[in-house]
Amino acid sequence: MGNGLAVGTISQVVQTRRSELITLKKRVSRTKCKTMDRETWESAQEAIAIDDSDREIFERLFTLYDKRGGDEVIIREFLVGLATITNNTIEERIQLAMELYDDCSSTSTAFLSKTETKAVLNSMNKTCNFFGDTQLSHEQIEELVESVFETYATELQQGTKLSNRHAPDFASHPIMEIFTKRRGTNQNLAKV
């Protein structure tokens, strides 16, 4: 999930960091809309001086996440896709992706339901697939989320939401470990 050969290589090129993605989220989420158009995205990137090479990569991902071809994306799904290619460990990518997905998160702690966590992993999968890396199956994502939520059932916020501080539990889960080993990748590939 974000540590395949292609994503690992792209993450070495992408200069945008966690703090910049958080700033982008704040800029594009001001209107309280769930979607944004390409012009809004380009303006937000320009306002915080995103590197031109990153903008080219993000442009392609914008097109990928534009489901209807109307130059519009669902903000949180798109930002999660960008978290997948940051120069971080897989744990940090998952944690950032969960934070970017949580509409209510004003701090680095996010709380997501099972459904929201599955959506995060599916968006990360979509980016991996775009770059030609293998993906977790829907069944594997389902089992991974169910297992981690079950393990921490007593810690669930409001009875149904898990904190993104459990991102390492997702990254080190046997399903994820089998997945990353099957591809012959190293957990810290993105930190080379």
Side-chain angles (χ1 to χ4, degrees):
M1 178 78 34
N3 254 9
L5 185 58
V7 168
T9 302
I10 289 291
S11 73
Q12 297 300 305
V13 175
V14 171
Q15 297 175 32
T16 303
R17 301 288 175 242
R18 177 192 176 280
S19 60
E20 292 165 316
L21 285 179
I22 298 298
T23 301
L24 283 167
K25 175 187 176 181
K26 289 175 183 173
R27 289 192 74 82
V28 300
S29 298
R30 287 181 183 167
T31 63
K32 302 295 180 197
C33 290
K34 297 206 180 283
T35 62
M36 75 173 151
D37 61 27
R38 193 177 300 269
E39 185 178 320
T40 300
W41 174 245
E42 289 171 356
S43 174
Q45 290 182 97
E46 191 172 306
I48 65 166
I50 296 295
D51 182 76
D52 286 342
S53 63
D54 287 5
R55 290 175 77 160
E56 287 180 34
I57 295 167
F58 295 169
E59 176 72 18
R60 286 179 171 79
L61 288 172
F62 191 99
T63 301
L64 172 72
Y65 281 87
D66 180 9
K67 295 176 184 177
R68 295 183 192 106
D71 275 348
E72 188 174 76
V73 295
I74 297 171
I75 295 169
R76 60 191 192 172
E77 289 177 5
F78 174 63
L79 291 175
V80 165
L82 299 184
T84 308
I85 59 171
T86 59
N87 190 0
N88 291 308
T89 64
I90 195 165
E91 293 91 351
E92 292 165 330
R93 290 176 188 172
I94 294 170
Q95 186 169 18
L96 174 59
M98 292 174 82
E99 182 179 347
L100 290 168
Y101 194 87
D102 186 1
D103 288 332
C104 301
S105 178
S106 59
T107 66
S108 62
T109 302
F111 292 94
L112 301 180
S113 69
K114 287 179 185 179
T115 301
E116 292 167 328
T117 304
K118 291 172 193 174
V120 165
L121 296 174
N122 280 317
S123 287
M124 294 180 81
N125 248 357
K126 188 174 188 174
T127 298
C128 291
N129 186 52
F130 176 78
F131 287 106
D133 287 339
T134 56
Q135 313 173 67
L136 290 172
S137 69
H138 291 292
E139 293 79 17
Q140 288 171 315
I141 289 174
E142 183 82 26
E143 186 179 340
L144 173 63
V145 171
E146 291 295 329
S147 176
V148 173
F149 268 73
E150 186 177 303
T151 300
Y152 295 99
T154 58
E155 293 182 30
L156 295 179
Q157 192 75 313
Q158 301 168 351
T160 61
K161 297 197 174 205
L162 191 66
S163 164
N164 66 336
R165 70 181 176 84
H166 290 290
D169 298 307
F170 287 98
S172 65
H173 191 278
I175 289 174
M176 192 69 80
E177 286 183 353
I178 290 168
F179 177 70
T180 55
K181 285 184 177 131
R182 181 179 75 215
R183 294 182 309 178
T185 59
N186 179 331
Q187 279 290 77
N188 292 313
L189 179 62
K191 284 294 202 178
V192 176

